[in-house]
Amino acid sequence: MDLHIEHHPEQGRFQAVVDGRLCVADYRLDGHTMRMTHTGVAPELQGRGIAAALVQAALDHARAEGYKVQPLCSYVQVYMRRHPETLALLA
């Protein structure tokens, strides 16, 4: 799937519009810690890798900026456990 992900730092959000539906990965910055607070994908869009792509974009951004990540969202917690290469980002 070719997913166009946008970063809106003023909203603390990575987002993509898929089939007219907004999909998001929300975060809050606290100093050098990116607190991942929410991932949202409409039920009819689930299972297509959208949430994973959004979270990966957020984690790539955190790595590039030198941030640590606190996964408050349960999806982000599971994603990071499934992708051990991301665990070095944990706050």
Side-chain angles (χ1 to χ4, degrees), residues 23 25 34:
C23 305
M34 177 185 270

Side-chain angles (χ1 to χ4, degrees), residues 12-26:
R13 171 174 283 178
F14 287 82
Q15 68 181 45
V17 176
V18 180
D19 297 343
R21 304 294 304 258
L22 181 64
C23 305
V24 301
D26 292 331

Side-chain angles (χ1 to χ4, degrees), residues 55-56 59-60 62-63 67-71 75-91:
V55 169
Q56 187 60 57
L59 296 177
D60 289 346
R63 185 177 290 109
Y67 297 145
K68 290 296 187 179
V69 175
Q70 183 179 24
Y75 180 84
V76 178
Q77 291 169 8
V78 169
Y79 181 92
M80 292 183 80
R81 278 197 301 269
R82 288 183 183 160
H83 297 87
E85 69 276 11
T86 67
L87 295 177
L89 292 171
L90 283 174

Side-chain angles (χ1 to χ4, degrees), residues 26-28 30 33-39 69-78 80 90-91:
D26 292 331
Y27 69 90
R28 251 185 0 257
D30 183 9
T33 301
M34 177 185 270
R35 300 186 195 287
M36 297 292 300
T37 57
H38 173 73
T39 304
V69 175
Q70 183 179 24
L72 301 175
C73 167
S74 60
Y75 180 84
V76 178
Q77 291 169 8
V78 169
M80 292 183 80
L90 283 174

Side-chain angles (χ1 to χ4, degrees), residues 38-49:
H38 173 73
T39 304
V41 174
E44 64 270 17
L45 300 175
Q46 292 177 359
R48 295 170 55 179

